[in-house]
């Protein structure tokens, strides 16, 4: 069983920054794609960013490209999301998820390929 625990959310003013962390249990963390999703009130969950098992490949939603950076430290079984230039529309519950053990640009944006999910952390950006 894999457990994912997010931290780092909070309240920040527009233009500010936050760094989210996702700590994973298990011995094979580095074998899997990891991703961040978010869900705002009244909206569907949306893909934010994904990173390959080794960390060398990343992919971002257009809405966060250039502002957010996804990274991982496999020695610590932890993934991060550095969020800069935050906007009120970034307000959402951010959740990390474990994906497949292969990289496919065609599927990593789909929640269906992720099998373990954290509880989420709230990010609120005030205007």
């Amino acid at each position: 069983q894999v457990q994912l625990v997010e931290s780092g959310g909070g309240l920040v003013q527009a233009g500010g920054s936050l760094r989210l962390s996702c700590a994973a249990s298990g011995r094979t963390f580095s074998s899997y794609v990891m991703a961040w999703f978010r869900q705002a009130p009244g909206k569907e969950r949306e893909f934010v960013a994904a990173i390959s098992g080794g960390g060398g490949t990343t992919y971002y939603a257009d809405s966060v490209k250039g502002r957010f950076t996804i990274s991982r430290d496999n020695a610590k079984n932890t993934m991060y999301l550095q969020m800069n230039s935050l906007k009120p529309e970034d307000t959402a519950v951010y959740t990390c998820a474990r994906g497949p053990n292969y990289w496919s640009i065609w599927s990593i944006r789909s929640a269906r390929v992720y099998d373990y999910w954290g509880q989420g952390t709230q990010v609120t950006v005030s205007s």
Side-chain angles (χ1 to χ4, degrees), residues 33-115:
V33 171
M34 295 292 295
W36 289 97
F37 287 78
R38 67 185 182 185
Q39 187 167 20
K43 295 187 177 181
E44 292 188 355
R45 180 169 53 192
E46 66 170 340
F47 170 83
V48 175
I51 187 166
S52 60
T57 305
T58 58
Y59 185 78
Y60 297 91
D62 287 344
S63 59
V64 306
K65 198 174 298 182
R67 300 188 297 122
F68 291 11
T69 302
I70 189 171
S71 62
R72 65 193 297 165
D73 184 338
N74 287 336
K76 296 182 178 179
N77 274 21
T78 303
M79 176 181 65
Y80 305 97
L81 185 68
Q82 177 67 43
M83 305 186 295
N84 298 329
S85 302
L86 283 160
K87 304 175 182 179
E89 51 263 44
D90 293 318
T91 294
V93 175
Y94 284 72
T95 305
C96 64
R98 193 190 80 166
N101 59 0
Y102 60 87
W103 182 265
S104 170
I105 199 68
W106 307 110
S107 64
I108 56 170
R109 292 168 291 181
S110 171
R112 291 177 295 178
V113 305
Y114 294 86
D115 55 358

